[in-house]
Amino acid sequence: EADIYQTPRYLVIGTGKKITLECSQTMGHDKMYWYQQDPGMELHLIHYSYGVNSTEKGDLSSESTVSRIRTEHFPLTLESARPSHTSQYLCASRIGTDNSPLHFGNGTRLTVT
Amino acid sequence: AQTVTQSQPEMSVQEAETVTLSCTYDTSESDYYLFWYKQPPSRQMILVIRQEAYKQQNATENRFSVNFQKAAKSFSLKISDSQLGDAAMYFCAYGYSGNTPLVFGKGTRLSVIA
């Protein structure tokens, strides 16, 4: 089974707070991704990384930022949380080959009040 | 740009019966990869099955099989002998390079009726 971990599992915070969602994987995967999953369950890619010191914005405009200082770690930061950020956030990783599947974490369910 | 369409937002199946989930995609690539993922309620998304476009043989994994029609750009998932544990969101995904993110469909919610 894939070893990719997200913390916290659930988070309720107030508007304006700065938060960081953690994602770590122990598989040595180069590629890592953050998805936002809306209430209808559709997945929206918000950030991804090809490797250390590489970050790219995804399809969904996001007020979040990411960093990739170590291969295994890909945190997502919201500088000032808003109720519109309330969502499920999924982290995923894969090796670099063309046919490699994504391995997903358990997700963080964020509620901004 | 590549797109993936799942035309069935919701499906239901009786336990022990067979159900087929539809997926179509659009691409100009000739070599690519297709995936079905399963996301049970409040649980981790997992890979169900994978198909390489260059392979003519349809992929199978136990009770799960695909019907891959390359010319029609269709990639349906068949679940045989459905079980209560098959109830989940199912996502179809397309990829053609390790350097580009997978493209996901909007998902199909499958209910299994006892």
Side-chain angles (χ1 to χ4, degrees):
Chain A
E1 282 298 319
D3 294 318
I4 179 165
Y5 307 100
Q6 290 186 243
T7 57
R9 186 77 177 88
Y10 300 94
L11 180 61
V12 180
I13 60 167
T15 298
K17 298 292 186 184
K18 177 181 179 179
I19 59 166
T20 296
L21 307 185
E22 301 288 348
C23 177
S24 294
Q25 48 95 6
T26 58
M27 297 168 286
H29 288 173
D30 288 329
K31 312 295 195 297
M32 295 190 74
Y33 308 83
W34 275 104
Y35 291 87
Q36 185 174 344
Q37 189 167 32
D38 64 27
M41 304 300 280
E42 186 175 354
L43 295 168
H44 301 280
L45 179 66
I46 48 177
H47 293 283
Y48 59 104
S49 168
Y50 293 138
V52 171
N53 295 324
S54 151
T55 60
E56 303 286 342
K57 287 185 182 287
D59 305 319
L60 181 67
S61 175
S62 172
E63 293 151 344
S64 57
T65 59
V66 292
S67 63
R68 190 88 184 275
I69 298 172
R70 304 196 314 268
T71 297
E72 62 271 22
H73 194 213
F74 190 43
L76 176 79
T77 297
L78 286 169
E79 291 292 333
S80 180
R82 297 214 297 261
S84 61
H85 294 137
T86 295
S87 191
Q88 164 105 309
Y89 292 85
L90 298 179
C91 181
S93 70
R94 66 194 287 218
I95 60 174
T97 58
D98 292 348
N99 66 342
S100 59
L102 284 171
H103 298 270
F104 284 86
N106 279 315
T108 293
R109 182 162 296 282
L110 173 65
T111 302
V112 184
T113 61
Chain B
Q2 292 85 6
T3 58
V4 176
T5 301
Q6 293 180 249
S7 59
Q8 306 152 317
E10 295 184 355
M11 292 281 286
S12 63
V13 63
Q14 293 280 349
E15 199 174 4
E17 296 295 310
T18 296
V19 64
T20 298
L21 308 184
S22 301
C23 173
T24 58
Y25 57 94
D26 188 23
T27 183
S28 58
E29 302 290 333
S30 59
D31 197 14
Y32 49 87
Y33 307 89
L34 297 162
F35 308 86
W36 277 100
Y37 284 88
K38 171 185 177 182
Q39 187 180 29
S42 300
R43 292 181 61 187
Q44 192 175 26
M45 180 111 64
I46 59 172
L47 177 69
V48 174
I49 201 164
R50 167 174 51 186
Q51 174 81 42
E52 288 84 358
Y54 64 83
K55 290 185 177 179
Q56 291 190 336
Q57 187 172 6
N58 289 324
T60 62
E61 288 287 343
N62 301 315
R63 297 182 296 106
F64 297 87
S65 61
V66 299
N67 183 5
F68 173 51
Q69 301 288 330
K70 191 171 184 178
K73 297 180 181 176
S74 172
F75 181 60
S76 60
L77 175 70
K78 186 172 83 170
I79 306 174
S80 303
D81 186 25
S82 296
Q83 301 175 358
L84 294 177
D86 295 333
M89 284 293 294
Y90 286 82
F91 294 93
C92 178
Y94 163 97
Y96 73 94
S97 166
N99 290 326
T100 56
L102 297 186
V103 179
F104 282 86
K106 292 185 177 182
T108 296
R109 185 182 302 276
L110 178 67
S111 301
V112 181
I113 303 164

